[in-house]
Amino acid sequence: MKGHMGKILRLDLTNLNTKEINTSEYEEFVGGHGLGSAIFFDAVKDKTISAFHPDNVITMMTSPLCGTLAPATGRIELNGISPQPYPTEWYSRSNFGGRFSAMLKYAGYDGIVIEGKADKPTWINIVNEDVEFKDAESLWGLDAWETQEEIWTDVSGNSTSVDEREWYQTERGRDEGRTTQKPAVATIGAAGENKTRSGAIIHDAGNGAGNAAFGSVWGSKNLKAISVLGTKSVEVANPSALLKSREWAEDNYNNQESDPKPNWGSGVGAFGGVPGAEGFGNIAEEQVRPQGCVSCHRCTRKRTESGHGNESGCVDFLFYDVHDEQKHGGPTKETAKAGDLSQRYGINVYFLEEGINYLKHLHERGILGEGKEIEASLPWDELGNASFAKELIYKVSNKEGIGEDLAMGLPRAAKKWGRLEQDLNSGLLGLQYWGYPQHYDARTEVEWGYGSILGERDINEHDFNWVVYWQVSLAKLFGRNPPVKAEKLAKIIKDKTIPYNAVPNYSNEGIYSKNMAKLVAWHRHYTRFWKQSLQYCDWAYADFLNPYGPETRGITPEGETRFFNAVTGKDISFKEGMEIGRKIWNLDRSIWALQGRHRDQEEFAGYTYDVASWGPEISPHANYEVPYYMPVKEDGEWKYKNVASRSLDKEKFNEWKTKFYELEGWNTETGRPKRETLENLGLGKVADELEQKNKIE
Amino acid sequence: MVNRRDFLKGIAGGAGAAVAGFALGSLTDTIEKAEGRSFEEIKTMVETPPSEAYLLVDREKCAGCRSCMLACSLAHEGKENLSLSRIQVFEDPLAGFPDDLVQEQCRQCQYPECVAACPTGALSVDEVNGNVRLVDEEKCIGCQRCIEACDQINNPARAAWNHEDEYSLKCDLCIDTPHWEENGGPDGKQACVEICPVNAIKTTDQIPVQIGQKGYKVNLRGKNWEKLGFPSE
Ligand code: SF4
Ligand code: SF4
Ligand code: SF4
């Protein structure tokens, strides 16, 4: 397939050697997550091993689109068994943006498979086909930024300053190519090195794969960093069609500097969002620029004058700014500095976000503190200053004091303290699905919660979230009208969610309906292929509503298909892509079945059923939630309604699960894929393994 | 040796109407450059008519997305490769704004060292296409003198080596873009300009001040940019 480099690099850390896989062997899975799951399935014979077992494999996969002009495709997908979920360490996923994905392709590879365990700290230097295992003794203990600076100068022997940098020629000479680019380095900090359950993989200043703790798996494998530098070309099937479609997208769907649309709240989401919208920087009155990953058309992050908060965005700040604002009466640089610390130590910010809130609740109740039931010495007077974040991050990353328990992650720490069940039932500890912090609330924005519990982690997919929740709720919060009426939104979503044509009805009945099953199925299949396999970024896709689009309609599904076909030379329809997504989703589902997944486990934390969701004020829990105004259809009428103060009915949710399993062709007793379903998807081999392990009925 | 009269003749003859944009300082600049050269070399340089268009960039506006580089490589070579782009974006993700990033484009120099250095005439001034300094790929013998010459004055070099097809490449303002349907060149469109999502690149027909960076690194930010929360000054 055009767009592929043709090779996947296998790194065997145990034996310090490399092998290659021909990408064409797995071509049906196309890229990213699909490739990762298919390779993982073959490479890991016993799927029940723990995340830190040397036989666990981490895949890092690009797509045919990475490194091309297809807009916002600068990401790389990671897969493997994750130490983070609770109670089972599910096979999981994560991804990060920046330059790494493109650079890996320019080096000649569609992906990397990391296998085994090195017996001492190691880093990997990839310069085109030269792959070297290098001693990382001197890098171990350096933070993620220091490590990258060391490697940048080590590899290309060149100043890091942009005004002094030169063309660099590889050792093979002029005909190997030259580059002005720094090597792209992915690395871990102390949180990963010390095998906490919150270690992230960091690249450049602020790209991180955090919410699956794969950085800790790297740590367990003694892998400190991977550096890539490449000068090869990505072949494109139809260059002029790609350029033309990019211009079409810029002209019709991207934000226009000359025509800002502040009332859309389009700062937040999707294809036409404004540059820099995700970053924090200038809130603290610093001069900034917007910053984007390779090929991005919307460049949603920032770099700042002081360098604090460079490339950090969203929860990298939100985990701390609420404490900063409480202490200082408004956001200050302390938030940006706390964000920097999370990048340097390579620690999952979702853990910090819920962790700080939970510790604070326990502290305020006199349960946690010096000489208290849970012994903990933390500088509470400093909460809101970066020094508090530093102390906490340091302790967790180095497993010191209270950090020793917290390094196990929040669910396992709370369990050790004997508090898990009670705090999940009361909601004091807001871990809603698989021990993951409640990101958006399963009680109100159900597709987020349902997708997470049917999957393996907080989905972190904002496809519906921008338009059914944020755009509406922000408008209500600021006393504006939402950009389009609920009926129109529902119609656009129905038209665009090919081929299931889902209706976004978040009413008390709608959330348990077959329609909601269709919506969630569309979401699972769409993200598994179009986003997680092709690496279309979550900040740009899916694009349902767009302030610049024709009749405010977004670029989905035309855009995704058009760019893909231009690069690969294929002529697939959007629906065909959805089928590949369904296949990958069923493959994942089979891996979870092999890990012991059963429908009975697919239950939310107790508070989801027993406690009404917060509203109408801003949630005291997740640091960013505002009241949930969502589209509902009641008595035949579409409208936006505040659906806060709702809890889920456990029985109705379980009936809904049955509807969902039926729709997917899964056994309704166990929730596992049926043989027939797998065979129809070309996954007969997977069905055989399930049968062998007694996981198919 | 070159005398003052030859210089002025070259400037007057070559620069024509565009001379208004030509900075006084350029003369000193040229005298410096003249040292150690043969008369013929200098004559070629000073008689070179100026390009009818120039790329300008705003390093404080650029978002580092490399889309310009991808567009340049794609439009000319039909494939994606940052090393084959005629515009280069240098970044230090850890540095503070604006020292974290700079775009380096070809300056279509008034006195193009690359043209002077080329021994075969492969790199010449295309008088049919607005005097763009252009490489004829067929004639290029791969000596790379143009790259070295440009590197001497414009470090890092704006001319680059196409290691896959083995010829020098430099910005042609998109005259020769077999993989792009638009008409390029000084009077047409440029792929990088069209694709840049934040409008951090544009062209001008006025000759930029030749000494230093100021003429080419300009402010393309305005009120709307400020409304998005970014500095316009
Ligand atoms: S390649 Fe270099 S010397 Fe030639 S015109 Fe461009 S900037 Fe000037
Ligand atoms: S004007 Fe054309 S040739 Fe010059 S840098 Fe831009 S895209 Fe490349
Ligand atoms: S396309 Fe524009 S914003 Fe992106 S790197 Fe090039 S000049 Fe900068």
Side-chain angles (χ1 to χ4, degrees):
Chain A
M1 187 182 298
K2 287 277 174 160
H4 274 154
M5 304 308 288
K7 289 183 300 188
I8 291 162
L9 181 65
R10 289 177 66 175
L11 298 171
D12 178 350
L13 288 163
T14 310
N15 302 302
L16 303 184
N17 64 31
T18 66
K19 287 195 194 105
E20 283 173 6
I21 300 172
N22 288 329
T23 312
S24 57
E25 282 175 45
Y26 289 96
E27 186 156 309
E28 62 193 288
F29 292 96
V30 186
H33 192 100
L35 280 181
S37 286
I39 291 171
F40 175 91
F41 191 87
D42 291 346
V44 179
K45 299 291 169 230
D46 179 1
K47 276 96 181 156
T48 63
I49 55 173
S50 79
F52 293 144
H53 193 288
D55 290 347
N56 187 16
V57 157
I58 300 291
T59 58
M60 302 177 77
M61 296 291 150
T62 70
S63 93
L65 307 186
C66 300
T68 78
L69 202 53
T73 54
R75 304 190 71 84
I76 188 160
E77 178 85 356
L78 283 79
N79 291 101
I81 297 170
S82 163
Q84 190 178 338
Y86 179 86
T88 310
E89 296 176 330
W90 299 122
Y91 168 73
S92 188
R93 59 161 298 276
S94 190
N95 75 15
F96 65 87
R99 307 176 293 123
F100 192 91
S101 172
M103 202 47 101
L104 184 59
K105 297 227 3 226
Y106 303 141
Y109 302 103
D110 293 309
I112 299 176
V113 184
I114 303 162
E115 304 170 46
K117 177 184 173 174
D119 56 16
K120 61 178 194 325
T122 300
W123 70 280
I124 316 254
N125 186 20
I126 303 173
V127 181
N128 292 333
E129 43 277 287
D130 295 329
V131 182
E132 223 184 323
F133 294 87
K134 309 255 284 186
D135 188 338
E137 218 64 76
S138 65
L139 298 176
W140 206 258
L142 296 187
D143 74 35
W145 289 0
E146 292 163 344
T147 304
Q148 293 182 79
E149 284 183 304
E150 287 292 316
I151 293 179
W152 287 338
T153 39
D154 184 327
V155 173
S156 57
N158 215 320
S159 167
T160 56
S161 151
V162 298
D163 292 302
E164 286 162 23
R165 223 175 145 76
E166 302 271 351
W167 284 89
Y168 166 73
Q169 179 170 305
T170 77
E171 279 168 16
R172 287 169 182 256
R174 144 186 125 167
D175 291 340
E176 181 79 355
R178 293 177 185 143
T179 181
T180 63
Q181 306 294 295
K182 288 188 168 67
V185 181
T187 184
I188 59 172
E193 287 180 4
N194 296 322
K195 300 184 282 283
T196 69
R197 287 180 191 265
S198 303
I201 294 165
I202 304 293
H203 157 59
D204 280 354
N207 305 284
N211 221 354
F214 289 144
S216 304
V217 179
W218 279 28
S220 77
K221 294 181 176 303
N222 272 319
L223 175 60
K224 175 69 177 174
I226 300 179
S227 167
V228 281
L229 190 62
T231 54
K232 295 181 192 294
S233 294
V234 181
E235 303 282 338
V236 171
N238 196 341
S240 62
L242 180 58
L243 271 158
K244 204 171 179 170
S245 51
R246 173 73 184 240
E247 286 175 280
W248 162 77
E250 291 287 349
D251 292 348
N252 296 295
Y253 296 96
N254 201 6
N255 65 81
Q256 303 296 326
E257 190 183 336
S258 54
D259 183 20
K261 309 253 187 190
N263 289 346
W264 269 72
S266 61
V268 229
F271 202 88
V274 298
E278 178 198 358
F280 178 86
N282 53 348
I283 303 174
E285 282 164 14
E286 272 201 64
Q287 297 223 321
V288 294
R289 75 164 81 249
Q291 196 276 329
C293 303
V294 171
S295 87
C296 191
H297 64 287
R298 64 162 292 191
C299 305
T300 183
R301 308 170 312 179
K302 292 192 180 85
R303 290 220 197 89
T304 71
E305 223 175 337
S306 65
H308 289 306
N310 268 9
E311 299 180 6
S312 277
C314 201
V315 74
D316 301 334
F317 296 124
L318 292 170
F319 88 85
Y320 209 62
D321 85 308
V322 60
H323 308 295
D324 177 11
E325 287 182 38
Q326 263 161 26
K327 186 166 195 75
H328 302 108
T332 71
K333 279 203 184 73
E334 297 301 298
T335 294
K337 288 181 187 167
D340 290 351
L341 290 162
S342 74
Q343 310 288 3
R344 285 175 173 270
Y345 282 80
I347 191 164
N348 178 2
V349 280
Y350 289 93
F351 157 81
L352 292 174
E353 186 233 337
E354 180 61 16
I356 294 173
N357 287 340
Y358 183 50
L359 295 175
K360 188 168 168 241
H361 291 313
L362 294 176
H363 175 71
E364 280 164 2
R365 286 167 166 74
I367 299 164
L368 177 142
E370 279 167 53
K372 297 286 161 52
E373 193 184 319
I374 303 167
E375 178 62 39
S377 161
L378 287 167
W380 289 104
D381 293 348
E382 289 293 316
L383 182 63
N385 290 335
S387 54
F388 177 90
K390 179 153 193 183
E391 182 85 4
L392 179 66
I393 292 171
Y394 177 83
K395 283 191 161 146
V396 176
S397 300
N398 292 288
K399 298 185 169 170
E400 273 181 24
I402 186 71
E404 201 180 333
D405 289 348
L406 291 170
M408 295 189 290
L410 294 174
R412 290 169 178 88
K415 181 148 197 250
K416 185 180 171 208
W417 302 334
R419 304 198 55 90
L420 183 64
E421 203 164 331
Q422 94 191 57
D423 290 347
L424 286 182
N425 286 340
S426 70
L428 189 72
L429 179 56
L431 306 175
Q432 204 162 33
Y433 12 73
W434 306 124
Y436 271 73
Q438 172 189 318
H439 190 157
Y440 292 99
D441 196 335
R443 294 167 291 191
T444 46
E445 195 189 328
V446 294
E447 103 286 345
W448 194 290
Y450 291 1
S452 299
I453 202 71
L454 293 163
E456 75 289 38
R457 50 162 286 171
D458 161 15
I459 53 175
N460 207 357
E461 297 159 352
H462 298 75
D463 311 81
F464 293 100
N465 173 263
W466 300 130
V467 288
V468 299
Y469 166 58
W470 274 117
Q471 231 153 33
V472 184
S473 303
L474 284 178
K476 297 280 185 188
L477 197 70
F478 294 113
R480 303 191 297 251
N481 283 326
V484 301
K485 294 220 159 77
E487 185 166 7
K488 181 166 179 192
L489 175 65
K491 165 102 174 64
I492 290 176
I493 288 180
K494 189 174 178 190
D495 289 349
K496 288 188 176 290
T497 46
I498 294 167
Y500 313 139
N501 303 106
V503 177
N505 180 3
Y506 289 83
S507 71
N508 291 344
E509 286 77 45
I511 59 171
Y512 304 113
S513 70
K514 183 156 178 215
N515 248 319
M516 190 51 74
K518 289 206 294 193
L519 188 143
V520 171
W522 186 88
H523 201 197
R524 310 310 328 120
H525 306 167
Y526 172 79
T527 51
R528 274 303 188 260
F529 180 65
W530 291 107
K531 285 168 78 172
Q532 291 144 15
S533 293
L534 295 188
Q535 298 307 303
Y536 283 123
C537 176
D538 188 54
W539 283 93
Y541 306 87
D543 190 41
F544 293 120
L545 277 188
N546 186 309
Y548 303 96
E551 294 171 36
T552 69
R553 286 164 177 266
I555 204 168
T556 297
E558 288 85 5
E560 291 93 326
T561 327
R562 204 167 152 172
F563 308 130
F564 178 76
N565 287 335
V567 172
T568 60
K570 301 267 172 196
D571 184 24
I572 73 164
S573 65
F574 183 77
K575 188 177 158 191
E576 286 168 301
M578 292 294 293
E579 263 309 273
I580 306 174
R582 188 165 77 87
K583 177 176 181 164
I584 298 164
W585 169 240
N586 272 274
L587 174 56
D588 287 357
R589 189 79 189 174
S590 302
I591 297 172
W592 300 325
L594 290 165
Q595 289 185 292
R597 177 74 67 91
H598 186 278
R599 80 165 276 164
D600 294 347
Q601 295 169 316
E602 295 181 334
E603 289 292 352
F604 295 107
Y607 74 90
T608 314
Y609 308 111
D610 301 336
V611 183
S613 67
W614 296 280
E617 315 85 33
I618 294 182
S619 153
H621 235 282
N623 290 351
Y624 40 79
E625 280 176 301
V626 301
Y628 283 82
Y629 281 88
M630 313 277 295
V632 300
K633 192 179 188 186
E634 287 176 352
D635 307 320
E637 294 261 341
W638 280 102
K639 61 182 169 203
Y640 293 120
K641 185 178 168 180
N642 186 352
V643 296
S645 313
R646 180 160 81 188
S647 61
L648 285 187
D649 181 314
K650 194 168 188 168
E651 208 173 301
K652 285 189 187 160
F653 170 61
N654 270 282
E655 286 162 15
W656 181 86
K657 264 164 44 184
T658 304
K659 287 179 206 165
F660 185 83
Y661 300 152
E662 275 167 0
L663 191 69
E664 291 280 16
W666 298 345
N667 182 299
T668 52
E669 298 286 301
T670 62
R672 294 176 193 139
K674 292 183 191 166
R675 172 171 279 282
E676 189 193 342
T677 305
L678 295 176
E679 279 177 353
N680 286 341
L681 288 163
L683 295 171
K685 183 182 80 177
V686 174
D688 294 344
E689 183 163 338
L690 287 180
E691 189 162 333
Q692 230 176 44
K693 305 269 162 65
N694 278 323
K695 301 292 186 198
I696 208 161
E697 287 66 37
Chain B
M1 271 299 295
V2 175
N3 65 38
R4 202 180 161 88
R5 226 190 59 202
D6 287 321
F7 270 121
L8 295 174
K9 201 175 95 194
I11 294 162
V19 84
F22 187 68
L24 260 183
S26 307
L27 193 57
T28 344
D29 192 31
T30 314
I31 290 167
E32 271 171 30
K33 285 179 191 168
E35 281 168 22
R37 289 173 194 280
S38 72
F39 178 80
E40 282 309 314
E41 275 178 337
I42 300 295
K43 193 162 174 284
T44 325
M45 287 172 77
V46 296
E47 284 179 354
T48 302
S51 173
E52 283 169 18
Y54 301 82
L55 276 190
L56 306 176
V57 298
D58 184 344
R59 90 179 267 187
E60 300 189 26
K61 200 178 189 198
C62 172
C65 68
R66 315 302 205 274
S67 298
C68 49
M69 298 173 72
L70 295 170
C72 183
S73 168
L74 193 60
H76 292 81
E77 315 296 334
K79 48 196 178 186
E80 295 289 24
N81 190 332
L82 298 181
S83 301
L84 302 183
S85 169
R86 286 109 175 116
I87 181 170
Q88 293 288 325
V89 180
F90 294 68
E91 255 191 319
D92 180 357
L94 302 175
F97 165 85
D99 301 328
D100 58 322
L101 189 155
V102 65
Q103 311 111 299
E104 302 289 13
Q105 80 278 36
C106 165
R107 298 160 62 106
Q108 306 295 347
C109 299
Q110 175 75 8
Y111 302 113
E113 296 283 347
C114 57
V115 173
C118 180
T120 65
L123 220 167
S124 67
V125 173
D126 184 348
E127 294 186 10
V128 182
N129 285 302
N131 301 328
V132 170
R133 286 79 174 111
L134 197 73
V135 182
D136 180 341
E137 293 150 16
E138 302 293 314
K139 285 196 199 156
C140 175
I141 54 165
C143 67
Q144 302 190 90
R145 285 194 210 159
C146 56
I147 301 174
E148 283 155 25
C150 182
D151 198 53
Q152 290 293 315
I153 47 158
N154 291 321
N155 177 292
R158 314 303 154 92
W161 178 241
N162 182 336
H163 58 290
E164 295 193 338
D165 298 319
E166 308 204 329
Y167 52 79
S168 278
L169 35 86
K170 72 171 287 301
C171 173
D172 62 357
L173 293 173
C174 287
I175 287 168
D176 184 18
T177 52
H179 306 279
W180 193 33
E181 284 174 17
E182 306 281 353
N183 287 326
D187 300 331
K189 291 183 174 178
Q190 293 74 30
C192 57
V193 175
E194 292 302 306
I195 294 298
C196 175
V198 296
N199 312 310
I201 316 174
K202 71 168 237 184
T203 52
T204 176
D205 58 6
Q206 300 293 300
I207 303 175
V209 173
Q210 294 287 297
I211 299 174
Q213 301 282 330
K214 272 208 307 270
Y216 290 90
K217 300 225 173 356
V218 299
N219 184 347
L220 301 175
R221 289 152 284 142
K223 279 257 165 327
N224 284 322
W225 192 243
E226 208 174 282
K227 276 190 208 151
L228 296 174
F230 302 113
S232 66
E233 291 307 318

